């Protein structure tokens, strides 16, 4: 089965409880997790792109660390607290193997909005699209994504689409809604 890199995953478009992505691999980047922790895993193409992204940042003297990649439905159930920063089981992009949370030593590997103001966070915002990633939950788009601003959460969507979304400032929801309207109006 081919991976759908543009699949929308949110409260309105959940993944089934038994969904496990194919081709999960350890992404081979610095990670704030033990070597056998499943959160080090990503879908293979996503992992390859994440490795290129982290290596490029490192070449510029920046230290990006993985905090959370793949997360099973069961693990999401364990983590879910009702907080707007923690998705309900089935609605987390982490279950798809296409999402990665990143942080840096300057903020003690925390997932906090201040990450955006670090050199690593600024670099990520500028360069993620070059590696096929989008900042999935951008500032001032909370009413569209349904998720608070998360400058640490990136999602793989392919280089072509990531570049388009960066250029237009659209979220994945806005892009897919536009594509759907085009198909409806296409005679």
């Amino acid at each position: 089965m081919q991976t759908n890199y543009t699949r929308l995953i949110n409260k309105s478009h959940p993944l089934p409880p038994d969904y496990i992505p194919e081709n999960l691999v350890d992404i081979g980047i610095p990670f704030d997790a033990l070597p056998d922790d499943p959160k080090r895993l990503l879908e293979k193409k996503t992992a390859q792109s994440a490795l290129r992204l982290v290596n490029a940042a490192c070449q510029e003297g920046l230290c990006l660390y993985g905090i959370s990649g793949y997360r099973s439905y069961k693990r999401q159930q364990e983590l879910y607290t009702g907080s707007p920063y923690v998705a309900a089981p089935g609605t987390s992009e982490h279950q798809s193997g296409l999402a990665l949370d990143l942080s840096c030593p300057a903020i003690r590997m925390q997932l906090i909005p201040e990450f955006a103001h670090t050199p690593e966070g600024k670099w990520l915002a500028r360069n993620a699209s070059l590696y096929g990633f989008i900042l999935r939950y951008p500032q001032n788009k909370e009413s569209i994504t349904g998720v608070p601003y998360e400058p640490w959460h990136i999602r793989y969507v392919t280089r072509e689409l990531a570049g388009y979304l960066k250029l237009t400032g659209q979220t994945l929801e806005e892009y897919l809604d536009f594509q759907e309207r085009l198909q409806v109006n296409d005679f």
Side-chain angles (χ1 to χ4, degrees):
M1 174 161 61
Q2 188 173 359
T3 302
N4 180 354
Y5 295 107
T6 61
R7 181 178 189 166
L8 188 59
I9 302 160
N10 60 23
K11 292 175 187 171
S12 302
H13 302 87
L15 293 168
D18 62 347
Y19 180 84
I20 299 171
E22 295 181 12
N23 302 318
L24 285 172
V25 297
D26 187 322
I27 60 179
I29 65 170
F31 226 95
D32 190 28
L34 296 173
D36 61 345
D37 194 318
K39 68 182 173 181
R40 296 175 66 101
L41 303 175
L42 284 176
E43 179 273 336
K44 187 176 182 178
K45 189 173 178 182
T46 305
Q48 292 166 345
S49 295
L51 181 59
R52 284 192 291 275
L53 178 145
V54 170
N55 284 342
C58 189
Q59 288 176 352
E60 293 190 33
L62 302 171
C63 299
L64 285 170
Y65 282 80
I67 304 299
S68 188
Y70 172 69
R71 200 178 302 142
S72 70
Y73 184 94
K74 183 177 187 243
R75 179 65 180 138
Q76 196 67 31
Q77 280 180 313
E78 294 167 0
L79 294 173
Y80 184 62
T81 61
S83 162
Y85 288 100
V86 181
T91 68
S92 171
E93 291 188 324
H94 290 282
Q95 187 182 344
S96 72
L98 303 174
L100 176 63
D101 292 338
L102 294 166
S103 192
C104 63
I107 55 169
R108 297 179 312 284
M109 308 302 189
Q110 296 179 76
L111 300 177
I112 55 177
E114 289 75 15
F115 173 69
H117 305 294
T118 66
E120 287 84 356
K122 291 175 184 178
W123 185 92
L124 186 64
R126 280 192 316 273
N127 295 288
S129 64
L130 301 174
Y131 302 90
F133 291 94
I134 57 172
L135 295 179
R136 183 64 179 90
Y137 305 117
Q139 199 164 27
N140 302 318
K141 297 281 187 161
E142 294 88 344
S143 63
I144 296 166
T145 65
V147 176
Y149 174 49
E150 292 187 0
W152 59 83
H153 182 100
I154 58 174
R155 159 75 190 269
Y156 186 76
V157 294
T158 73
R159 281 185 59 189
E160 180 180 76
L161 181 55
Y164 175 81
L165 295 177
K166 171 102 171 144
L167 187 65
T168 63
Q170 290 181 332
T171 62
L172 189 56
E173 283 85 355
E174 290 169 311
Y175 170 77
L176 293 172
D177 182 57
F178 178 71
Q179 294 300 310
E180 189 175 296
R181 283 186 280 128
L182 279 179
Q183 289 176 355
V184 167
N185 294 323
D186 192 18
F187 296 46

PDB file of all heavy atoms in Angstrom, residues 48-67:
ATOM      1  N   GLN A  48      13.995   9.540   5.936  1.00  0.00           N
ATOM      2  CA  GLN A  48      15.122   9.954   5.102  1.00  0.00           C
ATOM      3  C   GLN A  48      15.169  11.478   4.977  1.00  0.00           C
ATOM      4  O   GLN A  48      16.239  12.086   5.050  1.00  0.00           O
ATOM      5  CB  GLN A  48      15.020   9.300   3.724  1.00  0.00           C
ATOM      6  CG  GLN A  48      15.214   7.803   3.770  1.00  0.00           C
ATOM      7  CD  GLN A  48      14.786   7.105   2.488  1.00  0.00           C
ATOM      8  OE1 GLN A  48      14.094   7.656   1.644  1.00  0.00           O
ATOM      9  NE2 GLN A  48      15.216   5.852   2.347  1.00  0.00           N
ATOM     10  N   SER A  49      14.019  12.090   4.810  1.00  0.00           N
ATOM     11  CA  SER A  49      13.956  13.549   4.701  1.00  0.00           C
ATOM     12  C   SER A  49      14.301  14.220   6.019  1.00  0.00           C
ATOM     13  O   SER A  49      14.965  15.258   6.037  1.00  0.00           O
ATOM     14  CB  SER A  49      12.567  13.982   4.224  1.00  0.00           C
ATOM     15  OG  SER A  49      12.346  13.511   2.905  1.00  0.00           O
ATOM     16  N   ALA A  50      13.851  13.629   7.130  1.00  0.00           N
ATOM     17  CA  ALA A  50      14.179  14.185   8.450  1.00  0.00           C
ATOM     18  C   ALA A  50      15.676  14.126   8.705  1.00  0.00           C
ATOM     19  O   ALA A  50      16.264  15.067   9.254  1.00  0.00           O
ATOM     20  CB  ALA A  50      13.418  13.429   9.543  1.00  0.00           C
ATOM     21  N   LEU A  51      16.307  13.053   8.281  1.00  0.00           N
ATOM     22  CA  LEU A  51      17.754  12.929   8.453  1.00  0.00           C
ATOM     23  C   LEU A  51      18.480  14.011   7.660  1.00  0.00           C
ATOM     24  O   LEU A  51      19.399  14.659   8.170  1.00  0.00           O
ATOM     25  CB  LEU A  51      18.221  11.536   8.022  1.00  0.00           C
ATOM     26  CG  LEU A  51      19.711  11.249   8.176  1.00  0.00           C
ATOM     27  CD1 LEU A  51      20.165  11.412   9.618  1.00  0.00           C
ATOM     28  CD2 LEU A  51      20.019   9.840   7.662  1.00  0.00           C
ATOM     29  N   ARG A  52      18.051  14.251   6.425  1.00  0.00           N
ATOM     30  CA  ARG A  52      18.668  15.313   5.613  1.00  0.00           C
ATOM     31  C   ARG A  52      18.462  16.681   6.269  1.00  0.00           C
ATOM     32  O   ARG A  52      19.374  17.509   6.318  1.00  0.00           O
ATOM     33  CB  ARG A  52      18.099  15.300   4.196  1.00  0.00           C
ATOM     34  CG  ARG A  52      18.646  14.166   3.340  1.00  0.00           C
ATOM     35  CD  ARG A  52      18.307  14.322   1.869  1.00  0.00           C
ATOM     36  NE  ARG A  52      16.894  14.160   1.583  1.00  0.00           N
ATOM     37  CZ  ARG A  52      16.290  12.995   1.385  1.00  0.00           C
ATOM     38  NH1 ARG A  52      16.979  11.870   1.435  1.00  0.00           N
ATOM     39  NH2 ARG A  52      15.003  12.941   1.139  1.00  0.00           N
ATOM     40  N   LEU A  53      17.265  16.920   6.788  1.00  0.00           N
ATOM     41  CA  LEU A  53      16.941  18.193   7.436  1.00  0.00           C
ATOM     42  C   LEU A  53      17.837  18.420   8.657  1.00  0.00           C
ATOM     43  O   LEU A  53      18.454  19.481   8.792  1.00  0.00           O
ATOM     44  CB  LEU A  53      15.458  18.196   7.830  1.00  0.00           C
ATOM     45  CG  LEU A  53      14.933  19.423   8.559  1.00  0.00           C
ATOM     46  CD1 LEU A  53      13.504  19.707   8.140  1.00  0.00           C
ATOM     47  CD2 LEU A  53      14.973  19.241  10.064  1.00  0.00           C
ATOM     48  N   VAL A  54      17.918  17.444   9.541  1.00  0.00           N
ATOM     49  CA  VAL A  54      18.707  17.582  10.765  1.00  0.00           C
ATOM     50  C   VAL A  54      20.192  17.720  10.441  1.00  0.00           C
ATOM     51  O   VAL A  54      20.899  18.525  11.051  1.00  0.00           O
ATOM     52  CB  VAL A  54      18.426  16.415  11.737  1.00  0.00           C
ATOM     53  CG1 VAL A  54      19.403  16.411  12.900  1.00  0.00           C
ATOM     54  CG2 VAL A  54      16.990  16.496  12.251  1.00  0.00           C
ATOM     55  N   ASN A  55      20.667  16.959   9.452  1.00  0.00           N
ATOM     56  CA  ASN A  55      22.075  17.075   9.058  1.00  0.00           C
ATOM     57  C   ASN A  55      22.382  18.455   8.483  1.00  0.00           C
ATOM     58  O   ASN A  55      23.452  19.014   8.744  1.00  0.00           O
ATOM     59  CB  ASN A  55      22.446  15.978   8.057  1.00  0.00           C
ATOM     60  CG  ASN A  55      22.614  14.628   8.718  1.00  0.00           C
ATOM     61  OD1 ASN A  55      22.792  14.525   9.925  1.00  0.00           O
ATOM     62  ND2 ASN A  55      22.532  13.581   7.915  1.00  0.00           N
ATOM     63  N   ALA A  56      21.468  19.018   7.705  1.00  0.00           N
ATOM     64  CA  ALA A  56      21.678  20.363   7.142  1.00  0.00           C
ATOM     65  C   ALA A  56      21.748  21.400   8.262  1.00  0.00           C
ATOM     66  O   ALA A  56      22.590  22.301   8.231  1.00  0.00           O
ATOM     67  CB  ALA A  56      20.559  20.707   6.157  1.00  0.00           C
ATOM     68  N   ALA A  57      20.873  21.280   9.253  1.00  0.00           N
ATOM     69  CA  ALA A  57      20.914  22.204  10.389  1.00  0.00           C
ATOM     70  C   ALA A  57      22.241  22.063  11.135  1.00  0.00           C
ATOM     71  O   ALA A  57      22.863  23.060  11.510  1.00  0.00           O
ATOM     72  CB  ALA A  57      19.740  21.943  11.326  1.00  0.00           C
ATOM     73  N   CYS A  58      22.676  20.833  11.314  1.00  0.00           N
ATOM     74  CA  CYS A  58      23.935  20.559  12.020  1.00  0.00           C
ATOM     75  C   CYS A  58      25.125  21.181  11.286  1.00  0.00           C
ATOM     76  O   CYS A  58      26.030  21.720  11.923  1.00  0.00           O
ATOM     77  CB  CYS A  58      24.112  19.056  12.161  1.00  0.00           C
ATOM     78  SG  CYS A  58      25.472  18.590  13.214  1.00  0.00           S
ATOM     79  N   GLN A  59      25.105  21.143   9.969  1.00  0.00           N
ATOM     80  CA  GLN A  59      26.190  21.737   9.183  1.00  0.00           C
ATOM     81  C   GLN A  59      26.261  23.249   9.383  1.00  0.00           C
ATOM     82  O   GLN A  59      27.294  23.855   9.139  1.00  0.00           O
ATOM     83  CB  GLN A  59      26.025  21.396   7.701  1.00  0.00           C
ATOM     84  CG  GLN A  59      26.338  19.950   7.407  1.00  0.00           C
ATOM     85  CD  GLN A  59      26.079  19.574   5.958  1.00  0.00           C
ATOM     86  OE1 GLN A  59      25.532  20.346   5.178  1.00  0.00           O
ATOM     87  NE2 GLN A  59      26.476  18.365   5.596  1.00  0.00           N
ATOM     88  N   GLU A  60      25.157  23.830   9.833  1.00  0.00           N
ATOM     89  CA  GLU A  60      25.137  25.265  10.126  1.00  0.00           C
ATOM     90  C   GLU A  60      25.349  25.532  11.620  1.00  0.00           C
ATOM     91  O   GLU A  60      25.114  26.639  12.103  1.00  0.00           O
ATOM     92  CB  GLU A  60      23.829  25.881   9.639  1.00  0.00           C
ATOM     93  CG  GLU A  60      23.710  25.854   8.120  1.00  0.00           C
ATOM     94  CD  GLU A  60      22.548  26.658   7.589  1.00  0.00           C
ATOM     95  OE1 GLU A  60      22.203  27.692   8.208  1.00  0.00           O
ATOM     96  OE2 GLU A  60      21.989  26.260   6.557  1.00  0.00           O
ATOM     97  N   GLY A  61      25.746  24.498  12.353  1.00  0.00           N
ATOM     98  CA  GLY A  61      26.044  24.648  13.767  1.00  0.00           C
ATOM     99  C   GLY A  61      24.824  24.617  14.668  1.00  0.00           C
ATOM    100  O   GLY A  61      24.903  25.024  15.829  1.00  0.00           O
ATOM    101  N   LEU A  62      23.702  24.107  14.173  1.00  0.00           N
ATOM    102  CA  LEU A  62      22.461  24.067  14.943  1.00  0.00           C
ATOM    103  C   LEU A  62      22.160  22.636  15.375  1.00  0.00           C
ATOM    104  O   LEU A  62      22.388  21.692  14.618  1.00  0.00           O
ATOM    105  CB  LEU A  62      21.309  24.628  14.113  1.00  0.00           C
ATOM    106  CG  LEU A  62      21.530  26.067  13.628  1.00  0.00           C
ATOM    107  CD1 LEU A  62      20.449  26.472  12.645  1.00  0.00           C
ATOM    108  CD2 LEU A  62      21.573  27.023  14.800  1.00  0.00           C
ATOM    109  N   CYS A  63      21.621  22.494  16.578  1.00  0.00           N
ATOM    110  CA  CYS A  63      21.375  21.166  17.148  1.00  0.00           C
ATOM    111  C   CYS A  63      19.880  20.900  17.292  1.00  0.00           C
ATOM    112  O   CYS A  63      19.269  21.283  18.290  1.00  0.00           O
ATOM    113  CB  CYS A  63      22.041  21.048  18.515  1.00  0.00           C
ATOM    114  SG  CYS A  63      23.817  21.255  18.463  1.00  0.00           S
ATOM    115  N   LEU A  64      19.305  20.255  16.298  1.00  0.00           N
ATOM    116  CA  LEU A  64      17.911  19.829  16.384  1.00  0.00           C
ATOM    117  C   LEU A  64      17.866  18.399  16.911  1.00  0.00           C
ATOM    118  O   LEU A  64      18.630  17.544  16.450  1.00  0.00           O
ATOM    119  CB  LEU A  64      17.244  19.882  15.012  1.00  0.00           C
ATOM    120  CG  LEU A  64      16.884  21.259  14.491  1.00  0.00           C
ATOM    121  CD1 LEU A  64      16.468  21.191  13.021  1.00  0.00           C
ATOM    122  CD2 LEU A  64      15.766  21.877  15.331  1.00  0.00           C
ATOM    123  N   TYR A  65      16.980  18.143  17.860  1.00  0.00           N
ATOM    124  CA  TYR A  65      16.809  16.817  18.432  1.00  0.00           C
ATOM    125  C   TYR A  65      15.371  16.363  18.234  1.00  0.00           C
ATOM    126  O   TYR A  65      14.431  17.143  18.438  1.00  0.00           O
ATOM    127  CB  TYR A  65      17.088  16.833  19.943  1.00  0.00           C
ATOM    128  CG  TYR A  65      18.542  16.842  20.283  1.00  0.00           C
ATOM    129  CD1 TYR A  65      19.285  18.015  20.232  1.00  0.00           C
ATOM    130  CD2 TYR A  65      19.191  15.666  20.674  1.00  0.00           C
ATOM    131  CE1 TYR A  65      20.636  18.027  20.553  1.00  0.00           C
ATOM    132  CE2 TYR A  65      20.543  15.674  20.997  1.00  0.00           C
ATOM    133  CZ  TYR A  65      21.251  16.856  20.932  1.00  0.00           C
ATOM    134  OH  TYR A  65      22.589  16.865  21.257  1.00  0.00           O
ATOM    135  N   GLY A  66      15.212  15.098  17.865  1.00  0.00           N
ATOM    136  CA  GLY A  66      13.885  14.514  17.812  1.00  0.00           C
ATOM    137  C   GLY A  66      13.358  14.312  19.220  1.00  0.00           C
ATOM    138  O   GLY A  66      14.087  13.898  20.118  1.00  0.00           O
ATOM    139  N   ILE A  67      12.097  14.629  19.393  1.00  0.00           N
ATOM    140  CA  ILE A  67      11.437  14.417  20.682  1.00  0.00           C
ATOM    141  C   ILE A  67      10.371  13.332  20.551  1.00  0.00           C
ATOM    142  O   ILE A  67      10.244  12.467  21.392  1.00  0.00           O
ATOM    143  CB  ILE A  67      10.802  15.725  21.214  1.00  0.00           C
ATOM    144  CG1 ILE A  67      11.851  16.833  21.314  1.00  0.00           C
ATOM    145  CG2 ILE A  67      10.090  15.491  22.552  1.00  0.00           C
ATOM    146  CD1 ILE A  67      13.014  16.544  22.252  1.00  0.00           C
TER     147      ILE A  67
END
